[in-house]
């Protein structure tokens, strides 16, 4: 698990990669309130090229210094 390590800048990406085959992305907040009350959007993408791009972005973010690492 990692948490935001920055006092000034924050990562605000919202995406999930499922089985290296599907990307979920959009404004959707993964909360009950968002599900029941908010006007949210979510995009489901099943393009291998797009999935690869999101996986590369995740790896770049994970390996950056913007997060505090808990192991």
């Amino acid at each position: 698990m990692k948490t935001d390590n920055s006092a000034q800048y924050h990562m605000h990406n919202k995406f999930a990669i499922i089985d290296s085959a599907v990307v979920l992305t959009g404004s959707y907040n993964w909360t009950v309130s968002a599900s029941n009350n908010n006007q949210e959007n979510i995009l489901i993408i099943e393009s291998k090229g797009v999935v690869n791009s999101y996986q590369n972005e995740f790896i770049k973010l994970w390996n950056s210094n913007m997060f505090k690492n808990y192991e």
Side-chain angles (χ1 to χ4, degrees), residues 6-36:
S6 174
Q8 186 175 12
Y9 303 106
H10 303 288
M11 191 278 294
H12 195 69
N13 292 320
K14 298 177 187 178
F15 64 86
I17 303 164
I18 302 169
D19 296 334
S20 296
V22 177
V23 169
L24 306 177
T25 189
S27 70
Y28 190 80
N29 289 309
W30 304 78
T31 64
V32 172
S33 179
S35 179
N36 295 335

Side-chain angles (χ1 to χ4, degrees), residues 1 6 10 16 22-23 25 28-30 32 35 41-42 44 46-47 49 57 62-65 68 70-71:
M1 181 176 93
S6 174
H10 303 288
V22 177
V23 169
T25 189
Y28 190 80
N29 289 309
W30 304 78
V32 172
S35 179
N41 69 72
I42 193 162
I44 301 167
E46 298 183 40
S47 163
E57 180 66 13
W62 187 262
N63 292 328
S64 74
N65 293 326
K68 183 175 181 182
Y70 292 91
E71 294 183 17

